Amino acid sequence: MMKRIFFIPVFISLSLLTGCFGYPRILSYPFDPGGRGLNSFASELDPQISGRYIVFVTDRRGSQDVYMFDTLTRDLVDLSGLNSFDAIANHPGVSQDGRFIVFAASRQGRSAIFLYDRETRQSRNLTSNLQAEVRNPTISADGNRIAFESSNNGQWDVLVYDRYGRPLNIPQEPR
């Protein structure tokens, strides 16, 4: 009888820590003083995870840049053409397959939402025609829709664009 009492609390405790589907889970990666891994001496901000990829902002090169970590290979992913010294990046998000990265950036005092395509290694300003402050982008799992906040009319609204920078009309149910 004592064995059952001991095993039941341990089982219940493990279930509470892992949840129904294995969440939350603890990602434990070693510290890398050279800055080639997930954890380093630099500031690591705004981490977002989708599938096997983690995107985050870091100041490893002296500017606020977007980095991507692959949890399967346990390596940083090359993001050639994404970061620039004249932009301050923040709040990145990544599509499920890791192809598309969305992030907010500020250049010369103007904020914008950018979409980076890892396949073409091109970054596109999705909000170049929008005369408003923008922030906090997120991307759908398939990489086709980007939602973000915009202060176009003196208040913060949520806008949804496709990955080509076209606004999507999301119908709302009447109240």
Side-chain angles (χ1 to χ4, degrees):
M1 186 73 167
M2 282 303 263
K3 287 185 180 179
R4 282 188 167 175
I5 293 172
F6 176 75
F7 287 115
I8 291 172
V10 169
F11 175 74
I12 291 171
S13 296
L14 289 175
S15 295
L16 291 174
L17 290 175
T18 61
C20 296
F21 300 103
Y23 287 94
R25 60 184 176 168
I26 296 174
L27 300 176
S28 179
Y29 294 100
F31 177 76
D32 179 3
R36 295 173 304 273
L38 185 61
N39 298 311
S40 74
F41 283 122
S43 296
E44 322 292 11
L45 308 169
D46 299 329
Q48 300 293 321
I49 188 167
S50 184
R52 65 190 259 191
Y53 300 101
I54 301 172
V55 290
F56 58 98
V57 171
T58 183
D59 61 359
R60 294 177 187 196
R61 297 184 320 146
S63 61
Q64 203 164 308
D65 295 327
V66 176
Y67 277 52
M68 178 189 279
F69 184 79
D70 186 329
T71 60
L72 291 182
T73 65
R74 299 175 79 99
D75 286 319
L76 290 174
V77 176
D78 178 31
L79 300 176
S80 298
L82 179 123
N83 296 303
S84 63
F85 287 110
D86 67 338
I88 300 170
N90 62 65
H91 206 86
V94 62
S95 61
Q96 185 79 24
D97 63 2
R99 177 176 173 185
F100 297 103
I101 298 172
V102 66
F103 61 99
S106 178
R107 281 191 172 121
Q108 300 172 346
R110 182 156 157 65
S111 65
I113 304 298
F114 291 87
L115 182 71
Y116 176 77
D117 183 342
R118 284 184 48 219
E119 195 171 279
T120 64
R121 297 181 180 259
Q122 297 290 317
S123 194
R124 177 184 313 125
N125 182 344
L126 298 179
T127 57
S128 59
N129 294 329
L130 189 61
Q131 298 298 313
E133 283 291 311
V134 292
R135 66 183 185 190
N136 300 328
T138 188
I139 190 166
S140 62
D142 63 7
N144 287 325
R145 292 170 308 284
I146 294 91
F148 58 92
E149 296 175 50
S150 169
S151 67
N152 197 23
N153 297 317
Q155 68 183 25
W156 289 100
D157 296 315
V158 174
L159 301 180
V160 181
Y161 279 29
D162 66 15
R163 73 172 177 228
Y164 304 103
R166 297 180 299 226
L168 296 176
N169 185 15
I170 308 297
Q172 296 181 359
E173 294 292 322
R175 293 183 183 178

